[in-house]
Amino acid sequence: MRFTTRSMLMALAGSTMLAGAAAAELSGELKIFLDTSNPAPRATMEKMIADFGALHPDLEISTTVIDREAYKTQIRNFLTADSPDVATWYAANRMTPYVNAGLFEDVSDLWAEPEIAENLASTKGAMTIDGKQWGVPYTYYQWGIYYRKDIYEELGLSEPATFDEMKSNCQVIIDSGRACYTIGSKFLWTAGGWFDYLNMRTNGFDFHMALAAGEVTWTDDRVRATFANWRELIDMGAYVENHQNYSWQEALPFMANGEAAAYLMGNFAVAPLREAGLDDDKLDFYQFPAINPDVELAEDAPTDTFHIPANATNKEAAREFLRYVVSADVQTEINNGANLGQLPVNASASVDDDKFLNEGFAMLSSNSPGGVAQFFDRDYPAEMAAEAMQGLQEFMVFPDNLDDILNRLDKVQARVYK
Amino acid sequence: MPTSPAVPDTMPPPRSWYKRNEIAVTPWLFLAPAILFFAFYVIWPIYQSIVISFYDWDGLGEARFIGMENYVELMDDSAFEVSLWNNLKWLLFYLLAIPGGLFIALFLNQTVTGIRIYKSLFFFPFVLSQVVVGLVFSWFYLPNEGLLNGVLGLVGLGPVNVLGDPTMATYGIIAAGLWPQTAYCMILYLTGLNAVDPEQIEAGRLDNAKGWKMLWYIIIPQLKPATFIAFVVTIIGALRSFDLISIMTNGGPFGQTRVLSFYMFEKALSEYGFRMGYGAAIAVVLFLIMLIFIAYFLWSMWSEERGR
């Protein structure tokens, strides 16, 4: 094991030495701040950094891991005051405040290098603001519907490909005394996932992004059509009751116990579901079915990223670290099932042989012609996302309040995008 | 000629400025650290909040002066209105902790064997962290598994989803807050009851005072200082309510359990917030409400002093 890692590192040392002599002379201090506070990602990151350090013995690397939730508020302080050289964050709109405040370094030069330009092309859009790139992605993961294969088999159901099939499946599940979908909307963002999919399937990716950009009002008839589709599911009792009380983790047992048959979630739900006893015979995955046959399928695939703060002191070493993180071999290694268990961003990297990663990779690379969105709270400006997700939660519990909710969102939209 | 003056020199050597003003200056010297800290940590931040509330600022970039716009927006903000009403509910219902604390204290003031054990049990909620209280009550209220619905089910009442129902959630949280707050008031009253004058009670007995009359005319007037403190801490506790809301509902469902302090946090510092100016405007409103009570407390303390 040790040997293979080593040989991989050696191979890497050869391949990443594109910058050649300059890279070998890296010295000084490199401060890295991470939000990967859960045990598995933390170990993955620490090992990767240690490997990078082994390539650059003169570089003194210090790593600080901050709790993921706390990181979201602390980043504002450390970017302005005591800046690290490299920091993790998220793509798309979530980085806008820091780009606008001039706190992230423009790394367009890295994206101009052929190796990155070719292999990371798929995520370039999510990293671009004002025609420049502000960081590099290190991992992403698919969203989709995870379902209880055994329940579907028991009821004689198959993976739905259209909305009608989805609804008729759901009716059978309800008649068997279960809920079709579990969801915990206490922290709101899970409802954002449902809206993303329903809106992208009803009106398409471009419309969804136009709404995110504030070019369409929430009271628009097309948005109403999305809510009308959603309401069909709500009215038939597709969701578990009292979901406003639960976090996404607290909603997992409904599925593990068989009280609900499916969960629209990111791939990170697989690990806890497996721990809850659902092996690959019981747990399966399908792409959110088409609703409007005229729109192309589009997907949510949130991307996590590395950035160089504008106030960093060792930007040369930081750039080399970013090159290292996105290189094909490192991407393969850190995203495999034993580590992050997610999808590598580099097109030349290989996906670990895991049922869900394979399905997700196939879906994102060949069956999302419409486009790949980040996620509701990353594509929409923070303030709009906060208000909207609260409205979505309210709609899921009191669908009759729709007009009130949409008017409210119009008002917020008028202020946020002015 | 003798060079020495005829009268002995009684003029003392010139004294320093401090020595001459010692009586007037010394109290201020002792007060100086407190005044400095109060100015630096209380007055200055209040001033800053007021200033920031006139700006549009995300905490990072340039602050833009917008005058009263934040306040104008507040007047038209339904979430702010909800928070304000909820603050009012907290103020009103939190006061139940005072009579509650008094009656538990009277109960625990009996001389019965083993009363110390009961006493320490009643102290318990006060020692618990608010976060723990919040968690315990969230489980208690859970719609399917919770103890509350278990008990309600036994007497044939339907399941209620206290924290998931926007009309009930705030009351549910206040009830959770009342638990430690009642314990706090009880402690205050237990101390107060120790100081009740036994001779007055004796005199009351001779005049045939019993039960309610004894309580109302003899005991409660003597507990006035304890009641005052209980009132102060309860009012301030109600206005500061934050942790329970954050733990139990996170402001939801649909933002119906927010209070001003929570809404301020959401707007200024939470994951999707960072409208510092707007948050500061909410803080100023909350400060003005508190100012009413602070003024009342100061006034009543001052009239107490003068009455002596």
Side-chain angles (χ1 to χ4, degrees):
Chain A
M1 205 60 189
R2 213 28 44 249
F3 177 74
T4 42
T5 317
R6 255 203 199 179
S7 56
M8 190 197 89
L9 277 179
M10 290 316 215
L12 211 75
S15 67
T16 47
M17 285 307 145
L18 213 74
E25 288 161 18
L26 286 181
S27 62
E29 208 188 338
L30 182 69
K31 266 167 67 184
I32 302 174
F33 279 17
L34 303 172
D35 69 346
T36 48
S37 54
N38 288 334
R42 179 183 183 138
T44 303
M45 287 297 172
E46 281 173 347
K47 180 170 175 305
M48 178 187 74
I49 290 167
D51 291 346
F52 178 73
L55 289 176
H56 304 281
D58 294 337
L59 199 60
E60 197 185 313
I61 303 177
S62 66
T63 311
T64 308
V65 184
I66 299 167
D67 171 72
R68 200 176 176 93
E69 292 308 313
Y71 192 95
K72 290 172 184 168
T73 47
Q74 287 184 21
I75 186 170
R76 305 175 74 89
N77 296 338
F78 67 65
L79 285 183
T80 42
D82 185 23
S83 182
D85 299 299
V86 175
T88 53
W89 193 236
Y90 314 111
N93 239 313
R94 282 304 281 275
M95 60 180 191
T96 314
Y98 310 106
V99 171
N100 288 345
L103 292 170
F104 277 163
E105 169 97 349
D106 173 7
V107 292
S108 303
D109 53 326
L110 283 180
W111 284 84
E113 292 171 11
E115 197 156 332
I116 291 181
E118 283 161 27
N119 288 326
L120 299 184
S122 62
T123 48
K124 189 170 185 180
M127 304 308 302
T128 305
I129 292 176
D130 296 338
K132 296 172 192 148
Q133 287 76 46
W134 304 94
V136 295
Y138 66 90
T139 188
Y140 73 130
Y141 51 89
Q142 81 270 20
W143 268 66
I145 297 184
Y146 295 83
Y147 72 102
R148 285 286 297 269
K149 202 176 176 182
D150 52 337
I151 294 179
Y152 270 54
E153 277 166 8
E154 178 198 320
L155 300 172
L157 304 174
S158 55
E159 298 184 358
T162 65
F163 195 47
D164 287 333
E165 282 175 42
M166 183 174 173
K167 283 183 291 188
S168 65
N169 274 359
C170 188
Q171 195 56 53
V172 177
I173 296 167
I174 292 169
D175 292 342
S176 77
R178 302 177 177 98
C180 310
Y181 306 103
T182 183
I183 180 174
S185 62
K186 183 177 180 183
F187 294 99
L188 307 178
W189 55 267
T190 46
W194 272 96
F195 180 78
D196 274 350
Y197 274 100
L198 288 162
N199 197 33
M200 287 195 292
R201 293 289 184 268
T202 309
N203 298 309
F205 177 81
D206 294 333
F207 178 84
H208 189 62
M209 287 303 152
L211 183 62
E215 291 157 11
V216 187
T217 58
W218 282 83
T219 44
D220 190 288
D221 281 341
R222 289 167 289 180
V223 181
R224 282 181 190 278
T226 299
F227 281 102
N229 285 332
W230 199 349
R231 178 143 193 180
E232 286 188 51
L233 293 174
I234 295 167
D235 284 348
M236 68 195 290
Y239 299 98
V240 291
E241 282 185 353
N242 300 321
H243 52 78
Q244 70 270 35
N245 290 47
Y246 305 111
S247 69
W248 77 266
Q249 293 100 329
E250 286 165 341
L252 286 167
F254 293 115
M255 183 151 161
N257 301 337
E259 290 166 48
Y263 204 170
L264 174 66
M265 212 6 96
N267 197 52
F268 51 81
V270 169
L273 283 172
R274 278 182 176 154
E275 275 166 34
L278 301 181
D279 55 27
D280 286 2
D281 291 335
K282 288 185 179 162
L283 187 65
D284 207 346
F285 172 85
Y286 62 81
Q287 184 171 17
F288 199 100
I291 293 179
N292 177 351
D294 300 332
V295 301
E296 292 180 311
L297 297 181
E299 291 298 319
D300 265 347
T303 307
D304 292 350
T305 54
F306 271 112
H307 302 266
I308 305 177
N311 300 327
T313 45
N314 200 347
K315 288 182 182 171
E316 193 195 348
R319 280 196 158 74
E320 191 54 34
F321 181 73
L322 261 46
R323 277 189 203 102
Y324 178 79
V325 167
V326 296
S327 63
D329 292 334
V330 173
Q331 284 284 293
T332 304
E333 172 68 18
I334 64 172
N335 283 298
N336 73 22
N339 289 315
L340 295 177
Q342 300 188 138
L343 294 169
V345 185
N346 191 312
S348 315
S350 47
V351 179
D352 196 46
D353 191 19
D354 169 279
K355 176 172 146 185
F356 296 101
L357 290 182
N358 283 328
E359 281 199 48
F361 186 74
M363 175 179 85
L364 289 172
S365 49
S366 61
N367 206 20
S368 62
V372 174
Q374 286 297 310
F375 188 72
F376 194 85
D377 64 1
R378 300 189 189 186
D379 288 321
Y380 289 63
E383 214 188 315
M384 189 72 233
E387 292 284 342
M389 292 191 303
Q390 188 184 306
L392 298 178
Q393 187 205 31
E394 184 175 343
F395 173 74
M396 286 189 75
V397 183
F398 298 114
D400 290 338
N401 295 0
L402 183 64
D403 284 329
D404 187 33
I405 295 168
L406 293 181
N407 289 330
R408 213 160 59 215
L409 293 185
D410 268 355
K411 217 169 89 181
V412 177
Q413 192 189 46
R415 192 188 64 240
V416 170
Y417 297 89
K418 74 182 171 196
Chain B
M1 280 287 276
T3 49
S4 57
V7 275
D9 185 6
T10 54
M11 276 288 282
R15 295 189 307 169
S16 68
W17 180 88
Y18 174 70
K19 279 282 173 204
R20 273 179 281 130
N21 298 288
E22 198 172 4
I23 303 295
V25 169
T26 309
W28 291 108
L29 276 181
F30 278 105
L31 281 174
I35 291 175
L36 268 176
F37 275 80
F38 190 74
F40 192 73
Y41 287 110
V42 179
I43 305 290
W44 180 245
I46 290 172
Y47 166 76
Q48 272 188 318
S49 296
I50 295 172
V51 171
I52 291 173
S53 72
F54 296 122
Y55 284 85
D56 177 24
W57 187 39
D58 69 353
L60 290 172
E62 281 295 301
R64 193 167 57 86
F65 185 81
I66 52 168
M68 296 299 286
E69 257 179 57
N70 281 328
Y71 293 95
V72 173
E73 198 189 320
L74 269 186
M75 292 208 281
D76 194 29
D77 182 346
S78 59
F80 174 72
E81 203 180 311
V82 168
S83 316
L84 206 60
W85 278 112
N86 280 340
N87 256 114
L88 217 78
K89 288 179 197 165
W90 272 87
L91 272 177
L92 265 173
F93 290 96
Y94 226 45
L95 291 176
L96 289 176
I98 298 175
L102 174 63
F103 284 106
I104 295 173
L106 289 172
F107 164 67
L108 290 177
N109 206 36
Q110 315 300 318
T111 38
V112 184
T113 35
I115 196 74
R116 274 160 203 264
I117 294 175
Y118 293 120
K119 258 191 205 177
S120 44
L121 283 179
F122 276 97
F123 271 96
F124 199 61
F126 174 64
V127 207
L128 288 179
S129 148
Q130 292 264 305
V131 176
V132 177
V133 173
L135 275 178
V136 168
F137 268 83
S138 325
W139 293 326
F140 175 70
Y141 287 140
L142 273 184
N144 301 320
E145 306 84 350
L147 190 63
L148 177 70
N149 280 313
V151 173
L152 285 178
L154 286 182
V155 294
L157 292 172
V160 286
N161 182 5
V162 178
L163 295 181
D165 183 335
T167 53
M168 271 196 287
T170 292
Y171 299 106
I173 302 174
I174 295 173
L178 276 175
W179 190 44
Q181 190 65 28
T182 307
Y184 194 5
C185 293
M186 175 204 79
I187 292 167
L188 292 171
Y189 277 120
L190 273 179
T191 333
L193 283 171
N194 279 335
V196 167
D197 186 357
E199 284 181 15
Q200 287 196 31
I201 293 177
E202 199 57 44
R205 286 237 171 85
L206 290 177
D207 289 339
N208 241 346
K210 263 191 227 149
W212 282 107
K213 287 203 162 165
M214 171 75 93
L215 180 67
W216 190 252
Y217 292 106
I218 313 277
I219 312 274
I220 289 185
Q222 293 194 59
L223 290 174
K224 203 182 159 205
T227 308
F228 180 69
I229 301 288
F231 188 62
V232 173
V233 294
T234 306
I235 292 285
I236 292 174
L239 286 171
R240 285 199 317 194
S241 51
F242 179 91
D243 350 23
L244 283 176
I245 296 166
S246 171
I247 289 292
M248 294 175 72
T249 61
N250 200 33
F254 345 121
Q256 293 299 310
T257 57
R258 288 180 180 125
V259 293
L260 289 178
S261 59
F262 192 80
Y263 191 44
M264 170 178 73
F265 163 79
E266 267 195 336
K267 283 290 171 190
L269 296 165
S270 78
E271 190 180 342
Y272 305 111
F274 298 115
R275 290 185 70 199
M276 296 298 175
Y278 200 63
I282 301 168
V284 169
V285 172
L286 183 57
F287 173 68
L288 291 178
I289 296 172
M290 285 198 163
L291 208 56
I292 299 171
F293 290 99
I294 293 170
Y296 166 74
F297 295 146
L298 288 177
W299 174 79
S300 59
M301 276 198 283
W302 178 72
S303 49
E304 187 91 337
E305 291 271 299
R306 241 168 44 125
R308 280 197 186 138

